[in-house]
Amino acid sequence: NAGVMQNPRHLVRRRGQEARLRCSPMKGHSHVYWYRQLPEEGLKFMVYLQKENIIDESGMPKERFSAEFPKEGPSILRIQQVVRGDSAAYFCASSPRARMGQPQHFGDGTRLSIL
Amino acid sequence: AQTVTQSQPEMSVQEAETVTLSCTYDTSESDYYLFWYKQPPSRQMILVIRQEAYKQQNATENRFSVNFQKAAKSFSLKISDSQLGDAAMYFCAYRSFTGAGSYQLTFGKGTKLSVIP
């Protein structure tokens, strides 16, 4: 059973470009969380999605960031007009159901570097 | 808002010895879970151990155990018989149901553990 797959592993963008980060949850998992990890920091929650629905985007910057989890295909975190401060590792986690004790399974992350 | 504090940015332990990593949290909730995650240099996030707030018995997983003090809002991780492969960043995390409808994790800033051969 494949784990959570994130791609690309590394992404380099110039300021002003768009970044698209992909996350395929584990098989049977319909709940996806995105987190951002700045250097020397812990992970910070960004957004929680179920298939075709954004449930909680309270951690997402109001501008330039968006997320989706379509009926078919991976979840996408999209960052428009990237700036240097967007450089970070972005992690996706999935779970089969929304239960407090249900562990979230993490992908290996995408390291985004902005030139 | 819930917060998680890890007061030890770095720790070191001699191989085969025992080390304890500290974590405190702040919450007004009575029902929640606490987790320890390990992040080795490969950057994977690996679940080490979890504790439900309603359970008084401390969780254990092989060489890993916790000391959960609910009244003090403390959740420390003890690693026994430390091995070189234990070297990593360790993150304490808190989880409860949020008003926005999710079970997001709130992480501390981490403790970098070095294991000395």
Side-chain angles (χ1 to χ4, degrees):
Chain A
N1 192 11
V4 178
M5 304 298 292
Q6 287 189 250
N7 66 81
R9 191 77 199 271
H10 296 97
L11 181 61
V12 180
R13 285 287 177 266
R14 295 189 181 279
R15 281 178 294 172
Q17 290 185 319
E18 179 180 286
R20 281 186 180 235
L21 288 62
R22 295 175 188 76
C23 169
S24 296
M26 288 180 69
K27 187 176 180 180
H29 288 197
S30 58
H31 300 258
V32 166
Y33 295 79
W34 284 94
Y35 294 86
R36 176 165 65 175
Q37 185 178 29
L38 295 171
E40 311 300 323
E41 297 277 328
L43 281 68
K44 291 222 178 344
F45 168 76
M46 298 182 75
V47 62
Y48 163 50
L49 310 101
Q50 295 178 23
K51 281 285 186 182
E52 300 184 272
N53 288 303
I54 297 174
I55 306 301
D56 180 3
E57 55 183 348
S58 60
M60 194 105 93
K62 293 288 186 286
E63 297 178 353
R64 301 189 298 108
F65 285 74
S66 62
E68 63 178 15
F69 189 14
K71 187 177 180 182
E72 301 291 337
S75 175
I76 305 287
L77 180 67
R78 182 181 176 207
I79 310 172
Q80 294 178 289
Q81 299 175 330
V82 296
V83 301
R84 287 251 170 88
D86 297 333
S87 295
Y90 292 82
F91 286 89
C92 164
S94 74
S95 65
R97 58 190 68 85
R99 298 264 175 84
M100 202 187 313
Q102 185 75 49
Q104 294 179 9
H105 299 264
F106 282 83
D108 289 346
T110 293
R111 184 175 295 279
L112 175 64
S113 298
I114 308 302
L115 301 179
Chain B
Q2 294 85 9
T3 57
V4 177
T5 302
Q6 293 180 249
S7 59
Q8 306 151 316
E10 295 188 29
M11 293 279 286
S12 61
V13 62
Q14 207 78 32
E15 195 176 3
E17 296 295 309
T18 296
V19 65
T20 298
L21 308 183
S22 302
C23 173
T24 57
Y25 58 95
D26 187 23
T27 183
S28 57
E29 302 289 333
S30 59
D31 189 16
Y32 51 88
Y33 272 78
L34 296 162
F35 302 83
W36 278 98
Y37 280 87
K38 170 185 176 182
Q39 187 179 44
S42 64
R43 229 176 55 219
Q44 282 181 289
M45 290 294 288
I46 302 165
L47 177 64
V48 175
I49 200 166
R50 63 176 166 165
Q51 174 81 41
E52 183 177 4
Y54 270 111
K55 289 191 175 176
Q56 294 185 345
Q57 186 173 9
N58 289 322
T60 62
E61 287 287 343
N62 301 314
R63 298 182 295 108
F64 298 87
S65 61
V66 298
N67 183 5
F68 173 47
Q69 303 287 329
K70 190 172 183 180
K73 295 180 183 172
S74 170
F75 182 61
S76 59
L77 175 70
K78 185 170 87 171
I79 306 174
S80 304
D81 185 27
S82 297
Q83 300 175 0
L84 294 177
D86 295 333
M89 284 291 288
Y90 285 81
F91 292 100
C92 178
Y94 165 98
R95 190 181 196 192
S96 72
F97 182 74
T98 71
S102 79
Y103 292 101
Q104 62 183 265
L105 288 162
T106 300
F107 287 87
K109 290 193 172 183
T111 296
K112 184 177 181 180
L113 178 66
S114 302
V115 180
I116 304 163

